[in-house]
Amino acid sequence: MAELADIGIPDSRAGEIVRGTRRLLGGLGFFGVTEMSLANNRRADIAAVGPSGEIWMVEVKSSIADFRSDSKWPEYMPFCDQLYFAVASDFPQELIPDETGLIVADAFGGAVIRDAPEDRLPAARRKAVTLRMARLAAMRLTQTADIGWTAAPALLT
């Protein structure tokens, strides 16, 4: 089995949650990218697009301290149809805001514990987020295929 670092995910508790969450999302038909910059200069831990073009974002929290030190999560909501928090099984679930969904994950998979409320994106915003995600994924694929080449970050805006 590949190590987390071998597939571009840090070998850490957060990396394990990311890996399991991405496996869960894939099983639900959602595929996307990690660490995607948004137009408001925030960076989504996971941004994924579903079979009907719906966009989910997932904020990964590896500890209570990580959760309490980050109050930026509401700024992701204008860029997705649904926002989730992904945490490990020992995270106190009552801390997760009601305005978001809840995923519990480990390195091998995860489960949606609570669905996020849906707030559909306007068409222009959906197109912009989808295009940003597609370009980022294509750039990363190009970098994987052409070791040593790096795209200028400004090309993704």
Side-chain angles (χ1 to χ4, degrees), residues 110-157:
V112 175
I113 304 301
R114 181 179 73 220
D115 285 323
E118 185 177 62
D119 188 11
R120 301 287 294 171
L121 289 173
R125 175 67 56 90
R126 178 178 312 285
K127 179 181 177 183
V129 173
T130 302
L131 183 60
R132 184 178 290 251
M133 191 182 315
R135 289 174 47 88
L136 178 60
M139 182 210 64
R140 289 181 180 169
L141 184 60
T142 300
Q143 285 179 312
T144 300
D146 188 355
I147 303 299
W149 177 82
T150 304
L155 296 176
L156 292 176
T157 59

Side-chain angles (χ1 to χ4, degrees), residues 42 59 61 66-76:
R42 296 294 178 212
E59 180 68 4
K61 292 300 169 196
D66 180 24
F67 176 79
R68 289 196 170 137
S69 68
D70 184 358
S71 60
K72 300 180 301 281
W73 64 267
E75 296 177 45
Y76 303 123

Side-chain angles (χ1 to χ4, degrees), residues 13-35:
R13 184 173 170 95
E16 291 174 358
I17 297 168
V18 167
R19 180 180 184 208
T21 299
R22 290 179 76 182
R23 286 180 171 194
L24 166 69
L25 293 175
L28 297 172
F30 283 79
F31 299 96
V33 296
T34 58
E35 298 296 324

Side-chain angles (χ1 to χ4, degrees), residues 35-109:
E35 298 296 324
M36 185 176 94
S37 295
L38 305 174
N40 64 358
N41 294 317
R42 296 294 178 212
R43 187 171 41 219
D45 291 334
I46 302 172
V49 62
S52 300
E54 60 271 45
I55 297 172
W56 287 7
M57 290 193 182
V58 182
E59 180 68 4
V60 175
K61 292 300 169 196
S62 59
S63 68
I64 295 171
D66 180 24
F67 176 79
R68 289 196 170 137
S69 68
D70 184 358
S71 60
K72 300 180 301 281
W73 64 267
E75 296 177 45
Y76 303 123
M77 295 179 99
F79 297 91
C80 61
D81 297 308
Q82 292 179 273
L83 177 66
Y84 286 83
F85 277 93
V87 299
S89 61
D90 61 350
F91 189 93
Q93 296 178 11
E94 63 275 5
L95 293 179
I96 303 301
D98 292 335
E99 302 92 332
T100 67
L102 173 61
I103 293 171
V104 172
D106 61 20
F108 304 102

